[in-house]
């Protein structure tokens, strides 16, 4: 007899970045030489001092349940880091922090805590693959704002104003953005803040997971606007900046104590607490020297320059140079749909990329340059070779 699958699960899509990565791994396992540009995962090793902290945690028996919102010293370190962000005007305390199993779980927790069935959530697109699916799981309605290539795929204040209704309960914004690498300027953020002033019931969920990985622009945090403090949720974690994707430590910050307590109550039923050893490693990452972050940022900047130079040589590729994160988002509409191009690249060039349809932009593809320069060179060579579309 077939086991029942809940309707809410059947209604959500699989993560396309993970699907493509799985296909690439399967092809590699069968002996095919695939260059994977699918996952947003740094290829560097976790810095030594962080690994040692994890090892010491094991030896010191950090093997028991911990506090649901996270270890107090890690929560204090998170608050201190956010207080050190340039332009920050909100004073964060350890009590404003909840540590979770990765930034993804923190986002999911915030959405499930805030959104009732029928509530509208505004998401500028292209956007990360999981935001919309999480909103659907909460019973919310996704209000997608289609951004324009000419605006570097950044939502304008005018677009936000048109999308807001009395049913709007949340705005999700990611800057630096996945998948585009675009960054909202301070002026653009101020314009968005001005629009939101007339909608005091709208929660702002600001995903700042790529904030440390910027190049020729500085990312402005929503924590620069203290007028939004009572309805702001900041999301971050150690995955991208410290090459700690597998440690699964992320967090949310909010000054709204009632909302935070509700998130903690939900997390207590979801997962009890984040892994204790990983929390100890995350604290070492935040409290230790940040030189390792700068080294990785410089490496990504060099890779960005290389992939952009090579992509300019490929007919039919149209893109803006990314200002942050480690993705190149390419409009391939002169060649075909993003799905068609991605499929052909995987099957013929043996290069795995994510189709833009996964991010709400079907005319594009996303290439991750979180791989070595040699792999970037080889991937772009293969793409160019089959470029007679």
């Amino acid at each position: 007899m077939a086991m029942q699958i809940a309707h809410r699960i059947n209604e959500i899509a699989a993560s396309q970045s993970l699907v493509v990565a799985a296909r690439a791994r399967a092809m590699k396992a069968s002996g095919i030489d695939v260059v994977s540009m699918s996952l947003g995962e740094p290829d560097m090793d976790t810095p030594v001092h962080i690994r040692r902290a994890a090892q010491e945690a094991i030896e010191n028996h950090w093997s028991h349940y911990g506090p649901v919102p996270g270890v107090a010293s890690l929560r204090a370190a998170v608050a201190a880091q956010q207080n050190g962000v340039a332009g920050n005007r909100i004073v964060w305390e350890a009590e404003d922090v909840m540590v979770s199993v990765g930034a993804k779980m923190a986002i999911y927790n915030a959405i499930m805590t805030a959104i009732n069935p029928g509530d509208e959530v505004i998401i500028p697109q292209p956007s990360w693959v999981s935001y919309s699916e999480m909103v659907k799981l909460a019973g919310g309605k996704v209000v997608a704002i289609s951004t324009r290539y000419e605006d570097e795929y950044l939502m304008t204040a005018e677009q936000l104003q048109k999308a807001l209704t009395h049913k709007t309960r949340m705005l999700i914004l990611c800057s630096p953005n996945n998948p585009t690498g675009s960054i909202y300027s301070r002026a653009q953020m101020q314009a968005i803040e001005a629009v939101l002033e007339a909608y005091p019931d709208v929660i702002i969920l600001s995903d700042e997971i790529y904030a440390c990985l910027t190049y020729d622009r500085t990312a402005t945090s929503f924590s620069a606007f203290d007028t939004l403090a009572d309805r702001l949720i900041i999301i971050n974690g150690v995955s991208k900046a410290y090459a700690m994707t597998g440690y699964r430590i992320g967090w949310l910050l909010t000054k709204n104590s009632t909302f935070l307590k509700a998130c903690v109550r939900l997390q207590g039923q979801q997962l009890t607490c984040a892994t204790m050893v990983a929390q100890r490693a995350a604290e070492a990452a935040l409290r230790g020297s940040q030189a390792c972050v700068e080294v990785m940022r410089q490496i990504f900047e060099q890779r960005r320059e290389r992939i952009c130079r090579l992509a300019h040589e490929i007919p039919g590729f149209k893109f803006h140079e990314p200002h942050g994160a480690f993705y190149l988002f390419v409009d391939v509409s002169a060649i075909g749909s993003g799905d068609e191009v991605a499929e052909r690249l995987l099957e013929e060039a043996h290069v795995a990329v994510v189709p833009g349809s996964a991010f709400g932009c079907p005319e594009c593809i996303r290439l991750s340059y979180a791989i070595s320069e040699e792999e970037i060179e080889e991937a772009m060579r293969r793409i160019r070779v089959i470029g007679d579309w």
Side-chain angles (χ1 to χ4, degrees):
M1 185 177 72
M3 294 179 68
Q4 176 177 297
I5 305 298
H7 296 311
R8 62 181 173 274
I9 302 302
N10 286 327
E11 290 171 0
I12 63 171
S15 170
Q16 284 303 301
S17 57
L18 297 180
V19 168
V20 172
R23 284 186 64 188
R25 283 194 294 269
M27 291 172 70
K28 285 183 179 180
S30 70
I32 300 173
D33 179 20
V34 176
V35 180
S36 183
M37 308 178 86
S38 56
L39 284 181
E41 179 175 37
D43 61 319
M44 300 89 163
D45 292 327
T46 304
V48 173
H49 69 285
I50 299 173
R51 302 201 305 268
R52 285 178 178 165
Q55 292 166 351
E56 290 172 4
I58 293 172
E59 294 303 322
N60 290 327
H61 309 294
W62 279 64
S63 53
H64 302 284
Y65 291 134
V68 174
V71 175
S73 56
L74 173 55
R75 296 171 73 195
V78 169
Q81 185 205 49
Q82 193 66 33
N83 287 333
V85 171
N88 176 59
R89 295 186 62 182
I90 300 173
V91 179
W92 298 97
E93 308 288 348
E95 292 74 21
D96 303 324
V97 178
M98 185 185 77
V99 178
S100 195
V101 179
K104 179 181 279 189
M105 179 58 82
I107 294 169
Y108 179 78
N109 187 304
I111 291 171
M112 294 300 291
T113 300
I115 302 304
N116 284 316
D119 286 347
E120 295 180 355
V121 179
I122 294 175
I123 305 177
Q125 293 188 340
S127 64
W128 179 51
V129 297
S130 295
Y131 297 140
S132 294
E133 305 310 313
M134 291 178 181
V135 171
K136 292 177 187 177
L137 279 169
K141 177 185 176 183
V142 175
V143 178
I145 293 180
S146 296
T147 59
R148 304 190 313 152
Y149 177 87
E150 293 76 13
D151 296 324
E152 296 188 27
Y153 299 112
L154 296 171
M155 177 189 68
T156 66
E158 292 75 18
Q159 286 180 307
L160 175 60
Q161 181 69 70
K162 291 179 181 178
L164 286 161
T165 74
H166 69 282
K167 293 183 178 180
T168 306
R169 288 295 170 266
M170 181 179 283
L171 165 67
I172 299 178
L173 210 65
C174 179
S175 178
N177 182 264
N178 173 11
T180 67
S182 297
I183 295 176
Y184 287 86
S185 69
R186 185 176 182 84
Q188 289 169 317
M189 298 280 275
Q190 286 176 322
I192 290 170
E193 177 210 21
V195 171
L196 291 171
E197 285 181 1
Y199 296 85
D201 294 330
V202 175
I203 296 168
I204 301 96
L205 191 153
S206 181
D207 184 353
E208 301 180 7
I209 192 70
Y210 297 99
C212 291
L213 299 176
T214 63
Y215 311 118
D216 44 17
R217 288 187 189 174
T218 300
T220 298
S221 169
F222 260 117
S223 62
F225 306 103
D226 51 6
T227 56
L228 303 175
D230 63 343
R231 52 187 171 126
L232 173 62
I233 302 167
I234 301 285
I235 300 291
N236 212 325
V238 295
S239 291
K240 314 299 183 179
Y242 301 95
M244 295 174 65
T245 52
Y247 284 73
R248 308 311 303 136
I249 293 293
W251 51 80
L252 64 80
L253 301 97
T254 178
K255 296 298 292 184
N256 191 309
S257 59
T258 300
F259 187 82
L260 185 70
K261 288 176 183 176
C263 288
V264 171
R265 189 161 69 247
L266 174 59
Q267 180 154 291
Q269 297 294 350
Q270 283 175 326
L271 50 89
T272 303
C273 66
T275 304
M276 294 295 285
V277 170
Q279 287 193 64
R280 196 65 170 169
E283 184 177 347
L286 295 179
R287 294 193 183 278
S289 169
Q290 301 302 294
C292 58
V293 178
E294 176 58 17
V295 168
M296 286 189 276
R297 190 203 66 80
Q298 291 179 8
I299 291 172
F300 285 128
E301 186 169 25
Q302 293 168 3
R303 293 175 179 180
R304 178 193 72 143
E305 292 171 358
R306 176 159 298 195
I307 195 171
C308 287
R309 175 176 56 79
L310 295 171
H312 277 301
E313 300 172 0
I314 299 175
F317 271 28
K318 185 173 75 168
F319 60 91
H320 294 287
E321 293 192 1
H323 302 295
F326 36 64
Y327 308 108
L328 185 66
F329 201 60
V330 182
D331 184 322
V332 294
S333 56
I335 301 169
S337 73
D339 286 350
E340 293 167 344
V341 172
E343 184 66 22
R344 185 172 176 189
L345 290 179
L346 183 57
E347 293 297 329
E348 297 183 29
H350 298 156
V351 175
V353 303
V354 183
S357 57
F359 309 102
C361 198
E363 66 271 22
C364 296
I365 57 174
R366 189 194 76 175
L367 292 72
S368 170
Y369 53 90
I371 56 177
S372 70
E373 291 198 28
E374 292 75 20
E375 289 176 301
I376 291 171
E377 291 274 359
E378 176 60 17
M380 302 308 281
R381 183 195 68 78
R382 294 182 188 186
I383 295 171
R384 191 167 57 247
V385 166
I386 71 156
D388 183 13
W389 306 94

